[in-house]
Structures are given as C-alpha cells and as structure tokens.
Amino acid sequence: MALSEADTCRKFIVPRLQEAGWDNEPHSIAEQRSITDGRIVPVGKGFVRKPQQRPDYLLRYERNFVLAVVEAKAAWKHAGEGLQQSKRYAEMLGLKFAYATNGEEIIEFDYFTGRENIVAAYPTPAELWARYRAGNQVADDSAAQLLTPMNHSVGKGERYYQEIAVNRSVEGILGGKRRQLLTMATGTGKTAVAFQICWKLWNARWNRSGEHRRPKILYLADRNILVDQPKDGMFAPFGLARWKIEGGEAVKSREMYFAIYQALARDERRPGLYREFAPDFFDLIIVDECHRGSAREDSNWREILTYFEPAYQLGMTATPLREDNRDTYLYFGNPIYEYSLRQGIEDGFLAPYRVHRVITEWDAAGWRPSRDELDRYGRAIPDDEYQTKDFERIVALRARTDAIARHLTDFLRKTDRYAKTIVFCVDQEHADEMRRALNNLNADLVQKHPDYACRVTADEGDIGRGHLGRFQDVETQTPVILTTSQLLTTGVDAPTCKNVVLARVVGSMSDFKQIIGRGTRVRDDYGKLWFNIVDYTGSATRMFADPEFDGDPARITEEELLANGETKALVEYVVAQEPEDAAPEVNEPPAEDRRKFYFDGGRVEIAAHIVYELDPDGKQLSVSRYTDYAADKVRTLCPSAPELRARWADPVQRAEIIERLAERGVSFDELADAAQQPEADPFDLLCHFAFNAPLRTRRERAQRLRAERKDFFERHGAEARAILDELLEKYAEHGAAQFVIPDVLKVPPVSTHGNVTEIVHLFGGADKLRAAVTELQNLLYAA
C-alpha cells in the first residue's frame, strides 16, 4: 500500500533530519507550525478565517533564527512537486534555503547561488550556518552577537515578519550599515521589533567602538505618547537602564534613552539640549515614525540626526515610498524589510474593514451663504462657494457637525452603542463641538456614564491621557467615543477601536494610513475582528482609488437616506437647506482675531451612505455588486443550475458548498436581505442570483412536495409518515439543518414518537431511515 504524506514524514523525513543533527540543542525542528492566523473574512454579522499557512518543517539553528524550510510529499509522489511551495514559504520567511522531499529524494534550492540540486542528505546545522554566513558575509566576531537570544517574556511571541525584521536589522548593524529603514504597516508591532533589536544588541554588548560595554541607545519620536508608552511598557525589562530626556536635563549615566525631538531641538529660546551630549555619545538611534519630518533637509530635527552622525540610525515607518515622504527614503535608504497592510490582512494579523462613505447635502453640492449672511460673532461671511475642504477651516457649519453627529449616533444605535470609536476632527475646536453634539444625542447613556464621549487633544494633557488609557483598556466600558484632531493619528495602540470616523479631510496618504491604523489591531478576546471606517469627507474614497494604496476595499453598496427614513438608489445629490428665520445673535468676538467664520443656521441632512468591504479575494467591485460577486462564486463552484441542484440534494456535498461559499464571504442572510425574501431557501437564493431562477420560500417547497409526491409518504407506515411530515415542517420553519440525523430525532415533535432506537425501528432500520430522509431531501430539491 502506498505511504501517505504523514507516514512518509514519520518513517523517513524526520529520522533523516534527526540524523543530520537538527533535533539536537540548540537546534530544533519545528513541525507543522502555523506562521499566520488565516485571513479574517466577514460573513454577514459573523466571520470565518481562511486556512493558516503551515510549512511542514522549519529548521532552526537557534530558537529565533530559522535557516531553512522543508516541504514534504507522499512517497509515491515526485519530490519536485513540493519545491514551489517550499520556495514560496522560503520567500515569505526570508530564508535562503528551501528543500522538498518525498522521503527518499531530497531537492535543495539555494537562494545565494540560484541553483537547484538533488542532494543525498540534509546538511548539518553547522554546515548550513557556515553557508549562510558566507553568503551574507557575517564576520566571525559578529556571528555570536547575531544569535543573541530575544526576550521571550514580553508580548505573545514574535510573528514571522517581526523575527525577520529584527534579525535583518541586527545583521545590518553588525555588518556596518550606518542607516537602515524598516517599513511596517500600522498595527504590526514596530515597537516590539524595536525592543527586540535593542535587547539583542544590549545583551550582546555591541557598540560602535568594540569596547566591552553595553551600547547607549536613543529611541526618538516626535510625540510624548510615542516614547512614554514604549518606555513604561514594552521596554520595562531594561529596568534602571531607561531614561527619558526632558526638562532640559542631560543625564549621561544610563543606556536606554527616550526623547522627543522637541526636547532636544534648538529654538528661539535655547541652543538645543542635544549639544550637551558628544556627537559620538549614542551607538544607535532608533527613529520611530521617521516619516514625520525628521529626514527633511530643512528641518531642525534633521540637525539632530546630523549632529549624531557617528551613531547607527534605524528609521521605522508605516508608509511606503511616496512623494510626500521621499526625504525619509533618501536619508535612510531603501527598506531592508517591508510588511504591508495588505499582507497583514492576508495573514490574518490585521483586521479587515468596511468603509462607510457618508455624504451630507452640503458636502455633496457645496454651501454658499445668503446675501449679507452674518456669522456667530456678527461678521459678514464672504460670498463664496465653500466645499468640504473649507468646512471647519474657513467656515464652521454647526448644522453639518450636528448632521454628522446624528448619523454617527444612529449608526452606533444600529450596530453597537458601546463600540469604541475615534472621531478625527479638523482642529481642537471642532473636536469639542463634535464631542458636545455626540454627548447631547446620547444623553441617555451619558446619564449613566458621564465620560461616554470625551475629547482627547493636546489641550487636555493628563486628563486626556486618562481618557485614552481607559479607552484602550479592554476591561473598561467607557469612554466609548473619543474626538480628536491630530493627537491620536499615530503611534497609539488602540486594539479596542471598532470605528474610525473621518470628519476632516485627510490629504496625505501617510496620515491616512496612520489614522486607519487605529483600527487594524485584532483582539479576538474583545470580539474585535474587523472595524468600520466612517468617512464624511471622501478621504477614504480618494485614497482607495490611489493605485499605490496596498489594502484595497472591495464590495460597495450605495443608498440615499431620505428625510422620512426611506431609502432609494442614489441618482443625484439634492440640497434641501432649511433656512432659519430668526436673525443670528450678535456676540463680541474675543480680543484675538478669529481665523474662521462660524455659521450656526440652516439644517442639513445626509444625502448618501455608501459601503465598501474588503472581499476575500482582495478585489474591488463596482457599486451595489455584492449579489453579482456572490453569483460569480456560485458559478465557479457549480457552472449550471442542474449541477448545483444535484450536489445540493446530497447533505455532504451541500455542507461542502456552504463551507466554501462562507470562505469566500458569501452570506445567505445578506442574500436574503438583498432579495427581500427572509424565508427563501438558501438553494433558491443561489439559483436566483446565479442562474436567474424564480425564488421560492421554504414553505412553498414543502407544500409542493406534499401535494405532488404523496406516493413517497404513502410508502411508509402511519407513524413513520408522520415523522417525515414533521421533518418537512421543521424544514419549512427553520431550514435544511433540520435534516441532521440522529440529532433531529432527539427534539420535539419527532422525539414524542420514542427514543432514537424506537424511531429507527419504525422505518425498519437505520439504513432505511437515512435512505428515507435522503430521498425526502432529493425530492425537495428535484425542481
């Protein structure tokens, strides 16, 4: 008998790997270890995960240093059949050696030489390590430092891409690369990578001069929250070696320093604290969110990096190369490793998202003041056609803010009123207006939770940081809604965030990716597996249309919201402003000049609500095409209606079809909603959308079977006939799941006929019972 793949692995592959020494400490064989979580596919209100990526064997030289991957095939197959899969894993994991085997034959692919060879045996760990060092030119004195262990007491273990980023960065530093860049999507753990890089170098006692001492490392960013969180959290194992440079004090006795540019930079009042340190004081500088201006030649922050030129400098950013961050790439060079938003979603480490494009009437058609219109402070508003980009910058429209707050409140009422939500506003003043409107619209909850809606901006200081800390805590229910302008756009770990709301125009792709990154963290224990982007300014739509965006949304539906709450297909945007009759109250403006006009009159409604979703294939669909998408997936599985009917009648094949459609994001509930037929049989829904067949309800199918196939029922005794009729009635009420044997025999009304054994006896045996139920299903779907 031919050996299976599992038998081949047990009898031949593992013994040969052990023979080569891969099972001897500190080396190890990692067998069938999942390296991804499997992409999350929203299906209706639930979800499924696509299969995890799981190489057959990873050969680890040490715990955190993988050298090769081995892909196994059954003994009766050719070894070469597994090579492409092995190479795919090797490229995904950044490995230089890939093997494929059927137990007897071993094929090796060497990425250093580009050659593919049949080898008699696996190389030993020492041999493969020597080849790796030669190929990457790892010097003898650097090899031991490169293998310094990571710290496994923090986090949940390193994901494959984090391990790659850490090892490549450390290897580059040991190899003399003075400037390096890591590009990793928001939410993928750049802080964890930075920590492990520092930890390895600190424990290896690496430094620029080669002395026997620990390195002095500076972790640099542009916001306090970006250095305080790592310092007090992830970097806690460094203990007393940590120090934050602030308050104009230059402490030089520590090893792990944290600072923001502003604390070091020169300004009109001081020459720059950084000059208190010698240019060669730091061995390594890690620049977090390095795209945020530090690399521009005209920036005084660049002056800091230039001053500390002797130090090795590692930049970390979430944004791939674009025109608005070109200086960053010119300074640090091309990334030594990139892990994109698209890849993170594909691997299941990042949450997919739905994008809700919501358009107010004034955003759709613009807003123009009436003749001699005065603002809140009695100033004449210049006559002009104001568009979305002008709102809250040139003219503040209270009615628009109220309309957005009303829509968002309704959205939360329909989904989850306690779903953590961040609203990005134009400025701090706008954030306060939005917070007040949301507070008043949710007064019933604010009575119980006074902090239900809070503003978190630079003005709030410690109070705002307290709101943010509670927002981030999965154990704390409130605050639910945070309004902000710029403070939360970057570097804030908010795994609880289920809604990201754009109430301001986002012009930069870098900023856009940072903002949506507030929602990309996955928290299974919190029920956070995807999130919503609610876009009131068109920023998301514009960014997704950019060919350089790497995480395309896909499904789109569109509807117009009318004043009476009904919906219809969106044809055009109609402005329906209701002017206020009363003259505006005239107030004295503050002493300082106000930079924008404030219009408190009028009323505006929502004109349109468009919904985008990521589909499992990562492709973008046209407006209102979910049903077309589903139909295409059905036809892929079953090209014709007769084939679908034949397979659907078989319970085993029916379960397989349902599972495969679910993996592709096809939800019967959503199809039923689209057809406005909640009682339709899933089979009829599929035939209707895929093959234009008429829709039938489950009860119509059941009644047709009773009327047209009385002969089927008459072949059975009276009590058996009653049981079949009860099964048919349960199907009419609840669906085909009611045909699962023996489970359905244990519940009323079928269970009233006796226990399972007694019911089986009524049909003349278990086989005859199953045959009768199977025939019932075949007849049910016969036409």
Short mmCIF file of all heavy atoms in Angstrom, two decimals, residues 714-743:
data_model
loop_
_atom_site.label_atom_id
_atom_site.label_comp_id
_atom_site.label_asym_id
_atom_site.label_seq_id
_atom_site.Cartn_x
_atom_site.Cartn_y
_atom_site.Cartn_z
N GLU A 714 -46.82 7.70 1.22
CA GLU A 714 -47.68 6.52 1.36
C GLU A 714 -46.89 5.22 1.42
O GLU A 714 -47.43 4.18 1.82
CB GLU A 714 -48.69 6.49 0.22
CG GLU A 714 -49.75 7.60 0.34
CD GLU A 714 -50.61 7.73 -0.90
OE1 GLU A 714 -50.31 7.01 -1.90
OE2 GLU A 714 -51.56 8.54 -0.89
N ARG A 715 -45.63 5.23 1.01
CA ARG A 715 -44.81 4.01 1.08
C ARG A 715 -44.42 3.66 2.51
O ARG A 715 -43.88 2.58 2.76
CB ARG A 715 -43.53 4.20 0.25
CG ARG A 715 -43.78 4.31 -1.23
CD ARG A 715 -42.55 3.90 -2.04
NE ARG A 715 -41.34 4.56 -1.63
CZ ARG A 715 -40.83 5.65 -2.18
NH1 ARG A 715 -41.48 6.21 -3.20
NH2 ARG A 715 -39.71 6.18 -1.75
N HIS A 716 -44.66 4.57 3.45
CA HIS A 716 -44.26 4.35 4.84
C HIS A 716 -45.47 4.19 5.72
O HIS A 716 -46.59 4.62 5.38
CB HIS A 716 -43.41 5.54 5.33
CG HIS A 716 -42.17 5.75 4.51
ND1 HIS A 716 -41.02 5.04 4.70
CD2 HIS A 716 -41.92 6.60 3.47
CE1 HIS A 716 -40.10 5.44 3.84
NE2 HIS A 716 -40.63 6.38 3.08
N GLY A 717 -45.27 3.56 6.87
CA GLY A 717 -46.35 3.38 7.82
C GLY A 717 -46.82 4.72 8.37
O GLY A 717 -46.17 5.76 8.21
N ALA A 718 -47.96 4.68 9.06
CA ALA A 718 -48.59 5.92 9.53
C ALA A 718 -47.68 6.74 10.42
O ALA A 718 -47.53 7.96 10.26
CB ALA A 718 -49.89 5.59 10.26
N GLU A 719 -47.00 6.08 11.39
CA GLU A 719 -46.16 6.85 12.33
C GLU A 719 -44.89 7.34 11.65
O GLU A 719 -44.46 8.47 11.88
CB GLU A 719 -45.83 6.01 13.56
CG GLU A 719 -45.37 6.87 14.72
CD GLU A 719 -45.43 6.13 16.05
OE1 GLU A 719 -45.78 4.92 16.07
OE2 GLU A 719 -45.11 6.75 17.07
N ALA A 720 -44.28 6.50 10.78
CA ALA A 720 -43.10 6.94 10.04
C ALA A 720 -43.47 8.09 9.12
O ALA A 720 -42.69 9.06 8.95
CB ALA A 720 -42.52 5.77 9.23
N ARG A 721 -44.66 8.02 8.51
CA ARG A 721 -45.13 9.09 7.64
C ARG A 721 -45.31 10.40 8.42
O ARG A 721 -44.96 11.48 7.95
CB ARG A 721 -46.46 8.67 7.00
CG ARG A 721 -46.93 9.59 5.90
CD ARG A 721 -47.97 8.91 5.01
NE ARG A 721 -49.14 8.49 5.74
CZ ARG A 721 -49.54 7.22 5.87
NH1 ARG A 721 -48.87 6.24 5.29
NH2 ARG A 721 -50.64 6.93 6.56
N ALA A 722 -45.78 10.28 9.65
CA ALA A 722 -45.94 11.47 10.49
C ALA A 722 -44.59 12.10 10.81
O ALA A 722 -44.45 13.33 10.84
CB ALA A 722 -46.67 11.09 11.78
N ILE A 723 -43.58 11.26 11.05
CA ILE A 723 -42.23 11.77 11.35
C ILE A 723 -41.67 12.51 10.14
O ILE A 723 -41.09 13.60 10.26
CB ILE A 723 -41.30 10.60 11.76
CG1 ILE A 723 -41.73 10.06 13.13
CG2 ILE A 723 -39.85 11.06 11.77
CD1 ILE A 723 -41.00 8.80 13.54
N LEU A 724 -41.83 11.95 8.95
CA LEU A 724 -41.34 12.63 7.75
C LEU A 724 -42.05 13.96 7.55
O LEU A 724 -41.42 14.97 7.13
CB LEU A 724 -41.55 11.73 6.52
CG LEU A 724 -40.68 10.46 6.47
CD1 LEU A 724 -41.10 9.57 5.30
CD2 LEU A 724 -39.20 10.84 6.35
N ASP A 725 -43.33 13.99 7.84
CA ASP A 725 -44.08 15.25 7.69
C ASP A 725 -43.60 16.28 8.71
O ASP A 725 -43.51 17.48 8.41
CB ASP A 725 -45.58 14.98 7.88
CG ASP A 725 -46.40 16.20 7.50
OD1 ASP A 725 -46.46 16.53 6.30
OD2 ASP A 725 -46.97 16.83 8.41
N GLU A 726 -43.27 15.82 9.91
CA GLU A 726 -42.76 16.74 10.94
C GLU A 726 -41.38 17.28 10.55
O GLU A 726 -41.08 18.45 10.79
CB GLU A 726 -42.69 16.02 12.29
CG GLU A 726 -44.08 15.77 12.90
CD GLU A 726 -44.07 14.74 14.00
OE1 GLU A 726 -42.98 14.16 14.27
OE2 GLU A 726 -45.13 14.50 14.60
N LEU A 727 -40.55 16.41 9.94
CA LEU A 727 -39.24 16.88 9.45
C LEU A 727 -39.43 17.94 8.38
O LEU A 727 -38.70 18.94 8.34
CB LEU A 727 -38.42 15.70 8.90
CG LEU A 727 -37.86 14.71 9.92
CD1 LEU A 727 -37.16 13.56 9.18
CD2 LEU A 727 -36.88 15.41 10.86
N LEU A 728 -40.40 17.71 7.52
CA LEU A 728 -40.66 18.67 6.44
C LEU A 728 -41.15 20.00 7.01
O LEU A 728 -40.77 21.08 6.54
CB LEU A 728 -41.70 18.08 5.49
CG LEU A 728 -41.83 18.75 4.11
CD1 LEU A 728 -40.51 18.75 3.37
CD2 LEU A 728 -42.91 18.04 3.29
N GLU A 729 -41.96 19.94 8.06
CA GLU A 729 -42.46 21.16 8.70
C GLU A 729 -41.32 21.92 9.39
O GLU A 729 -41.26 23.15 9.34
CB GLU A 729 -43.56 20.81 9.70
CG GLU A 729 -44.19 22.02 10.38
CD GLU A 729 -44.87 22.96 9.40
OE1 GLU A 729 -45.28 22.52 8.31
OE2 GLU A 729 -44.97 24.17 9.73
N LYS A 730 -40.41 21.18 10.03
CA LYS A 730 -39.27 21.82 10.67
C LYS A 730 -38.39 22.49 9.62
O LYS A 730 -37.82 23.58 9.85
CB LYS A 730 -38.46 20.80 11.49
CG LYS A 730 -39.16 20.36 12.76
CD LYS A 730 -38.34 19.34 13.54
CE LYS A 730 -37.20 20.01 14.28
NZ LYS A 730 -37.65 20.88 15.38
N TYR A 731 -38.26 21.84 8.44
CA TYR A 731 -37.50 22.47 7.35
C TYR A 731 -38.18 23.77 6.93
O TYR A 731 -37.52 24.80 6.73
CB TYR A 731 -37.40 21.51 6.17
CG TYR A 731 -37.19 22.23 4.85
CD1 TYR A 731 -35.92 22.71 4.50
CD2 TYR A 731 -38.25 22.47 3.98
CE1 TYR A 731 -35.74 23.41 3.31
CE2 TYR A 731 -38.07 23.15 2.80
CZ TYR A 731 -36.81 23.62 2.47
OH TYR A 731 -36.63 24.31 1.30
N ALA A 732 -39.52 23.74 6.78
CA ALA A 732 -40.25 24.93 6.33
C ALA A 732 -40.05 26.10 7.31
O ALA A 732 -39.98 27.26 6.90
CB ALA A 732 -41.74 24.62 6.18
N GLU A 733 -39.92 25.78 8.59
CA GLU A 733 -39.76 26.83 9.59
C GLU A 733 -38.31 27.27 9.76
O GLU A 733 -38.04 28.46 9.93
CB GLU A 733 -40.30 26.34 10.95
CG GLU A 733 -41.81 26.18 10.98
CD GLU A 733 -42.31 25.77 12.35
OE1 GLU A 733 -41.50 25.84 13.31
OE2 GLU A 733 -43.47 25.39 12.48
N HIS A 734 -37.38 26.31 9.70
CA HIS A 734 -36.00 26.62 10.12
C HIS A 734 -34.92 26.33 9.07
O HIS A 734 -33.79 26.79 9.24
CB HIS A 734 -35.66 25.85 11.40
CG HIS A 734 -36.62 26.09 12.52
ND1 HIS A 734 -36.74 27.32 13.14
CD2 HIS A 734 -37.53 25.27 13.10
CE1 HIS A 734 -37.68 27.24 14.09
NE2 HIS A 734 -38.18 26.01 14.08
N GLY A 735 -35.21 25.54 8.04
CA GLY A 735 -34.21 25.29 7.03
C GLY A 735 -33.68 23.88 7.02
O GLY A 735 -34.04 23.03 7.85
N ALA A 736 -32.74 23.61 6.08
CA ALA A 736 -32.26 22.26 5.82
C ALA A 736 -31.43 21.69 6.96
O ALA A 736 -31.17 20.47 6.99
CB ALA A 736 -31.44 22.23 4.52
N ALA A 737 -31.01 22.51 7.91
CA ALA A 737 -30.24 21.99 9.05
C ALA A 737 -31.07 21.00 9.86
O ALA A 737 -30.53 20.21 10.65
CB ALA A 737 -29.78 23.15 9.94
N GLN A 738 -32.38 21.01 9.69
CA GLN A 738 -33.26 20.12 10.45
C GLN A 738 -33.17 18.67 9.99
O GLN A 738 -33.76 17.78 10.60
CB GLN A 738 -34.71 20.61 10.35
CG GLN A 738 -34.90 22.05 10.78
CD GLN A 738 -34.34 22.31 12.17
OE1 GLN A 738 -34.60 21.54 13.10
NE2 GLN A 738 -33.57 23.37 12.31
N PHE A 739 -32.43 18.38 8.92
CA PHE A 739 -32.32 17.02 8.41
C PHE A 739 -31.11 16.27 8.98
O PHE A 739 -30.76 15.21 8.48
CB PHE A 739 -32.23 17.04 6.88
CG PHE A 739 -33.51 17.51 6.22
CD1 PHE A 739 -33.48 18.50 5.26
CD2 PHE A 739 -34.73 16.95 6.57
CE1 PHE A 739 -34.63 18.94 4.64
CE2 PHE A 739 -35.89 17.39 5.96
CZ PHE A 739 -35.85 18.39 4.99
N VAL A 740 -30.46 16.81 9.98
CA VAL A 740 -29.27 16.16 10.54
C VAL A 740 -29.71 15.00 11.43
O VAL A 740 -30.41 15.19 12.43
CB VAL A 740 -28.42 17.16 11.35
CG1 VAL A 740 -27.23 16.45 12.00
CG2 VAL A 740 -27.95 18.29 10.46
N ILE A 741 -29.28 13.82 11.04
CA ILE A 741 -29.62 12.59 11.77
C ILE A 741 -28.38 12.16 12.56
O ILE A 741 -27.27 12.19 12.03
CB ILE A 741 -30.02 11.46 10.80
CG1 ILE A 741 -31.22 11.90 9.94
CG2 ILE A 741 -30.36 10.17 11.55
CD1 ILE A 741 -32.50 12.07 10.69
N PRO A 742 -28.48 11.76 13.84
CA PRO A 742 -29.71 11.48 14.62
C PRO A 742 -30.17 12.67 15.47
O PRO A 742 -31.12 12.53 16.25
CB PRO A 742 -29.27 10.33 15.53
CG PRO A 742 -27.83 10.64 15.81
CD PRO A 742 -27.28 11.27 14.55
N ASP A 743 -29.49 13.85 15.37
CA ASP A 743 -29.78 14.96 16.28
C ASP A 743 -31.25 15.34 16.28
O ASP A 743 -31.86 15.57 17.33
CB ASP A 743 -28.93 16.18 15.91
CG ASP A 743 -27.44 15.91 16.03
OD1 ASP A 743 -27.10 14.78 16.41
OD2 ASP A 743 -26.63 16.81 15.76
#
